[in-house]
Amino acid sequence: MSVITEKQLTFDVAVVGGGIAGLCAAVAAARHGAKCAIVQDRPMFGGNASSEIRMWIYGARGPNRKETGLLEELQLDNIYFNPEMKYTLWDGVMYSFAKTESNLTLLLNTTVETCRVENDSIVEISGWNLSSYTWYRIKAGIFIDCSGDAILRLSGAAARHGREGCEEFKESHAPAVPDDCTLSSSIVMQLRRTDAPHRPFHPPAWAYTFNDQNIPPRNWYPEGNNFWWLSFGGVKDTIKDADEIRDELYRIAYGAWAYIKNHPDGRGKGWTLDWIGSLPGKRESWRFEGDHILTQNDIEAGGVFPDTVAFGGWNMDEHMPEAFYFPGKPSILHPTPSPFGIPYRSLYSRNINNLLFAGRQISVTHAAQSSIRVMGTCAVTGQAVGTAAALAVRHGVTPREIGKSHLTELREKLLEDDQFIPGLRRTPSALSLLGTPSHALLRDGMDRDWDDGVHGIALSPGESCGYTFQTPVKISGIRLVFDSDLADNKRLFFEEGRPAREMPAILCRKFEVSLQHPSGKWKTIAVEEENRHRLVRLSWPEETATAIRLTARASWGGGACRLFSLDVL
């Protein structure tokens, strides 16, 4: 009797890769009505952000630049369910985020092996599930690659690897001659303060031995150190040489901790080693080619495109390919505008008709990739392509056609789902435009404060806002965007064991929504006692009303809460 099972599955959308980009892509597609599968080769979601690797989520720099949408929802969930910010529980928060979507099928521990193509479209992929000894044959109308390694290059999709020469795109940060070097991979080492008596650290025999004479110039002190410079692999093939890269990083990391912990100046006293990553965090391997290749020059010009659907804002962060063994500074930060736009044309394949992609492998040059690779940016590209995939299914068109004929619809849906797009304002709902708002800012189309000023209102406990209508209208719902403090990046800590996190003090916790009927009487239509979200949508059976009001009852901090938008539906 065979212990191997084969299953044939069919979906509207199949997402390959369950890192932050893939998770956002799959949830976005599912919420917009597509029957979706997410195929992830690990037992948990999160990729570089998971408990296996423990990289923290960076994104755009500067005030009010933080990525919102699905990423902010997920990070608020994490504070609510995992206030001690434990990475192992963070895995569970991400799992629940996906598991609660009825349109989404989770295929964890499943590695994509093959890809079948007909007429320049992917027809089917196969994946091997290590836990259940099952071959999955997965058919879909649209495929989204968020693997980080562009695994669906198996389809023949155009892709590139390494560093372009400076002449190809006239990039000043590119080397004179193209090569196969990439950004290196890092292994995270987490320390913890301890009051225990000092004990020397005994490294394994295979670890490197470091001393004051042979160490490279790095921060070799434990305080506030995330050890991102424990890196290697930029001169190797980060896919084919993955095991060699991991082994080398283990030798470096254990040797580094032995040097710090046992140093005669006592720098390691009061610290203990809690954890070393079981996988390196990979920064770069392959990149797809779309209808547009985003370049250093595009980013430095602000990324102003007619089809912008996402944004970045991290520096171009050039990690030296020699990494740990580079004798100088291990990374050079080239400044970028924050934000800069990312065009939709960089998120689908130029030669495979039904392939979208998100994350660090989108259509960019090596120089541009050094900025867009951070996970906050990966999240918003994921939400963009997941939404685009669902629209492609709904309209029966290719991803490219979405950009040509349905771009406005795509961008409006992203804005409605709280994805910020530089240079755009969301169009308020028709009923909001018909009514008279208590505060003009409630319908100005900006769901965050910005460089031009404040776009939200403060509501003390018991204070109300809303709309009145000259004639009765039919109301069936409300869309709210609360302030969740975008100055707080909501990252997990360098080390565990710190004081528990609290929900953002300014976020509204308790509120109620009421309708005024034509008779003049008010009716409470919805009550929320434990809101943890920034974007809130409520619906109810249609009722005729002449006014609607939101009454704040409590914020998480006990004082006033803030509200950016109130749309009547």
Side-chain angles (χ1 to χ4, degrees), residues 104-359:
L104 183 55
T105 297
L106 316 185
L107 298 175
L108 295 168
N109 296 302
T110 302
T111 302
V112 170
E113 301 274 353
T114 66
C115 178
R116 183 161 62 88
V117 176
E118 295 178 3
N119 299 320
D120 295 326
S121 294
I122 301 173
V123 175
E124 179 185 90
I125 60 174
S126 70
W128 171 249
N129 185 286
L130 181 64
S131 300
S132 63
Y133 293 88
T134 299
W135 279 106
Y136 287 110
R137 310 288 181 185
I138 302 166
K139 293 184 177 180
I142 301 290
F143 289 84
I144 303 175
D145 191 325
C146 299
S147 66
D149 289 330
I151 185 59
L152 293 186
R153 288 180 289 119
L154 291 166
S155 66
R160 54 180 53 214
H161 181 272
R163 303 187 293 187
E164 293 84 3
C166 60
E167 286 302 312
E168 183 173 1
F169 293 99
K170 306 301 180 186
E171 294 178 310
S172 62
H173 302 331
V177 178
D179 58 38
D180 285 331
C181 291
T182 63
L183 301 178
S184 55
S185 302
S186 288
I187 196 161
V188 172
M189 187 166 67
Q190 284 192 326
L191 309 182
R192 177 171 48 86
R193 296 179 185 274
T194 178
D195 295 327
H198 180 72
R199 296 183 181 89
F201 177 71
H202 302 291
W206 43 259
Y208 290 133
T209 299
F210 296 115
N211 55 55
D212 291 347
Q213 286 69 49
N214 69 0
I215 59 169
R218 306 287 187 267
N219 177 14
W220 290 88
Y221 290 82
E223 182 69 36
N225 200 339
N226 59 19
F227 302 102
W228 60 266
W229 45 265
L230 294 175
S231 59
F232 179 71
V235 295
K236 298 284 185 180
D237 186 317
T238 54
I239 297 176
K240 292 180 180 178
D241 299 327
D243 286 347
E244 178 186 345
I245 292 169
R246 177 206 59 213
D247 293 349
E248 182 71 2
L249 284 170
Y250 270 142
R251 293 186 189 99
I252 294 170
Y254 277 98
W257 175 239
Y259 169 81
I260 293 169
K261 179 64 176 177
N262 302 332
H263 200 282
D265 68 6
R267 68 184 68 178
K269 290 182 179 180
W271 295 89
T272 188
L273 178 64
D274 244 8
W275 181 87
I276 289 180
S278 54
L279 283 176
K282 191 182 297 184
R283 291 185 176 89
E284 183 184 8
S285 56
W286 284 81
R287 310 181 302 279
F288 286 108
E289 291 185 1
D291 280 351
H292 181 83
I293 297 176
L294 189 73
T295 70
Q296 169 197 332
N297 300 319
D298 288 333
I299 289 176
E300 290 177 338
V304 180
F305 299 102
D307 60 339
T308 298
V309 292
F311 72 98
W314 187 245
N315 294 299
M316 283 181 277
D317 191 0
E318 181 66 26
H319 289 252
M320 299 299 105
E322 300 86 354
F324 185 78
Y325 298 106
F326 186 70
K329 291 181 63 175
S331 175
I332 300 173
L333 292 177
H334 301 289
T336 65
S338 182
F340 59 81
I342 298 174
Y344 178 63
R345 285 166 296 146
S346 293
L347 304 180
Y348 62 83
S349 173
R350 68 172 174 80
N351 67 318
I352 297 296
N353 297 325
N354 60 342
L355 176 61
L356 289 148
F357 32 76

Side-chain angles (χ1 to χ4, degrees), residues 24-135:
C24 290
V27 169
R31 288 188 182 179
H32 282 285
K35 295 294 183 182
C36 184
I38 183 168
V39 185
Q40 164 72 332
D41 62 358
R42 311 303 299 172
M44 71 281 289
F45 293 112
N48 279 340
S50 75
S51 66
E52 286 189 304
I53 300 176
R54 305 192 184 190
M55 297 288 184
W56 32 95
I57 297 174
Y58 282 112
R61 314 167 334 277
N64 304 309
R65 265 55 177 172
K66 186 184 182 301
E67 300 77 10
T68 49
L70 292 177
L71 179 62
E72 182 75 350
E73 179 183 338
L74 180 59
Q75 290 179 304
L76 288 170
D77 278 355
N78 189 45
I79 297 173
Y80 184 80
F81 292 110
N82 180 27
E84 293 181 346
M85 308 298 273
K86 295 178 179 178
Y87 270 94
T88 48
L89 297 184
W90 163 236
D91 287 346
V93 171
M94 289 186 285
Y95 177 81
S96 180
F97 189 66
K99 188 65 176 176
T100 53
E101 296 299 326
S102 59
N103 280 337
L104 183 55
T105 297
L106 316 185
L107 298 175
L108 295 168
N109 296 302
T110 302
T111 302
V112 170
E113 301 274 353
T114 66
C115 178
R116 183 161 62 88
V117 176
E118 295 178 3
N119 299 320
D120 295 326
S121 294
I122 301 173
V123 175
E124 179 185 90
I125 60 174
S126 70
W128 171 249
N129 185 286
L130 181 64
S131 300
S132 63
Y133 293 88
T134 299
W135 279 106

